[in-house]
Each structure stands twice: as structure tokens, then as C-alpha cells.
Amino acid sequence: MEQVLFGIVLMVEVALAVYCLVTKQRHRKVKSLVRVAVFIVFVMLTLLPGIEWSFSWIFCASMLLLLAVTGMLQLIRQPKANPRVFKRSAIVAKAILMLIVLTLAFAPVLLLKLRTDDMNLVIDSVVENATKGNGPAVYQLIDPAKIGVFGHSMGGAACVWLGRERDGIGAVLNLDAPLFSELRYDPETGDFTAANEAYNIPLLNIYSDDVWKQLGQNSAYAANQTAGANFR
């Protein structure tokens, strides 16, 4: 879903830019309506099973909300005459800037998904070679029933995420990473809190001094504080 939504948003922005270039108009009203509609669709997907809301979506949601609010303001206020000459270069430049900003907003979601997909590919390859019996000798030293994963920072967050999604992971070692997969948004507090879901795989968290100071203060690390309640 992450890649699909990202692709749709980019295609919408490209289509708007092409439409403006072909018609030689700015079409601010059309842009505003489309961006409001995109945000509404995003909200509907978060309320439905389409998107599982987590900390990694906050930048994307904030950007889409900003575009929607800006669009609503442009629709509400009275249009003013704009004597400026239509410039193709300005349309192209704004479109490129918008694509870059949207890519950065989607980056946290896409990077975690890409990391877990890459890790799944590697593990699948290792397990396949280990169970063949006729693969390279090094794979014969691997027990497919005893696979652990570890990573630092975003890699650590991806490992924790993979431990929840994939069967067959025996242990997870996390270095300095917030447990993004274990965070949920609490509308009552307007902040992120730990998900009340048991994490049944052995997990070892190791922190540097700088990260240790953030525990209990930064809501991004809210799930890291619940080892006693949710981690068995």
C-alpha cells in the first residue's frame, strides 16, 4: 500500500503539471480540489484496513494535510486578478519541487518497507540454500529454525518490524532504534503511545548514552519503555 499510495500521489502531481502546461493556465482551483480529495482518500485509508497508522506516517500525513488546508483556503477566499504572464519554467520548477517534498515526506514509510522487503529477500535466500542440502557448504552450518536479526537505528527499527510480521524469527537485537512498529497515535493526547500488543519474540535493546537520555522524554521512544508490559 505504501508504494501504491506514493505512486498515485506523484502521478497526480505530474498530471496537474502536464495539464497546466498543455492548457497554458495555472488551474489553482483544480489543484486545490484535487489535493483536498487526495487528503480525504488518505484519511479514509487510515480509518479502513488500508493503512495501519504508525509513527512513520506522520510526515506524509502532515504534508498532505498542509496541501489540503492550503487548497481549502484558496477555494474559500475570493480570487484576485493575477496579471502575471504564464511561464512554463515556473510550472515545471514548482512541480519538481513538489515531487521532491512529497518524496521526502514519504521517505520514512518507504524506507522501512524497503528495508523489511530486503531483509525478507535475504532470509528467504539463506533458508532456501540451507534446506537444499546441495548448496554451498557455508549454508549447511545454518539452522533455518534459529534465525535472528539485528540492526542499528532505522535498521534496528526494521528488524523489530520484521520480527512482528515474519514467522520464523527467533530473536531480535535492536541498537538505538525507536520501535516504530509498536507505536500508535493517541487522539486523546495528540501524541504517539505504545501499542497495547504483545511482542512475543525475544528482543534485546541496546542504547548509546545519547539515546538513553531520550527514553521517557521523546514520544518516538514510547514503545521502548514498555518491555515489562508488552514484551514476553
Side-chain angles (χ1 to χ4, degrees):
M1 177 57 69
E2 295 86 352
Q3 293 94 329
V4 173
L5 183 60
F6 177 60
I8 291 175
V9 171
L10 290 191
M11 286 190 292
V12 166
E13 290 298 328
V14 171
L16 289 173
V18 172
Y19 181 51
C20 292
L21 291 173
V22 171
T23 59
K24 297 182 179 180
Q25 298 181 43
R26 293 185 178 84
H27 294 294
R28 292 181 176 177
K29 184 176 181 179
V30 174
K31 290 181 179 178
S32 298
L33 289 171
V34 170
R35 288 167 179 167
V36 171
V38 168
F39 180 72
I40 292 175
V41 170
F42 175 78
V43 172
M44 292 177 62
L45 288 174
T46 59
L47 297 176
L48 297 174
I51 292 178
E52 183 176 355
W53 182 254
S54 64
F55 183 84
S56 58
W57 283 101
I58 188 170
F59 300 106
C60 171
S62 299
M63 185 61 197
L64 295 179
L65 174 61
L66 178 61
L67 291 175
V69 171
T70 303
M72 285 294 296
L73 292 176
Q74 291 183 353
L75 291 172
I76 293 173
R77 68 183 183 183
Q78 293 294 330
K80 298 180 180 179
N82 191 346
R84 290 189 301 173
V85 179
F86 175 83
K87 293 183 179 180
R88 291 179 178 271
S89 58
I91 297 297
V92 172
K94 289 181 180 179
I96 293 175
L97 179 61
M98 182 62 67
L99 294 179
I100 293 173
V101 171
L102 288 171
T103 299
L104 293 175
F106 272 87
V109 178
L110 295 175
L111 286 176
L112 277 177
K113 179 62 176 174
L114 288 173
R115 286 173 182 268
T116 54
D117 286 348
D118 288 345
M119 293 170 70
N120 274 316
L121 177 64
V122 172
I123 294 174
D124 288 341
S125 177
V126 170
V127 170
E128 181 182 358
N129 281 282
T131 55
K132 276 182 178 179
N134 58 350
V138 65
Y139 289 105
Q140 306 311 311
L141 303 175
I142 297 174
D143 184 353
K146 297 181 179 179
I147 294 179
V149 291
F150 74 94
H152 174 259
S153 189
M154 289 293 288
C159 288
V160 176
W161 203 311
L162 187 69
R164 179 172 289 284
E165 291 185 343
R166 183 186 177 102
D167 294 332
I169 301 296
V172 176
L173 173 60
N174 169 41
L175 305 176
D176 277 350
L179 308 185
F180 290 134
S181 61
E182 311 307 307
L183 291 175
R184 298 294 182 270
Y185 181 74
D186 185 356
E188 294 184 0
T189 62
D191 206 346
F192 285 92
T193 185
N196 188 24
E197 301 173 8
Y199 193 93
N200 297 317
I201 298 173
L203 169 63
L204 174 61
N205 292 310
I206 299 177
Y207 304 107
S208 64
D209 291 341
D210 290 338
V211 173
W212 182 260
K213 295 175 183 177
Q214 299 184 52
L215 301 182
Q217 300 180 7
N218 188 340
S219 61
Y221 289 91
N224 298 63
Q225 297 292 310
T226 61
N230 295 326
F231 296 88
R232 304 296 183 186

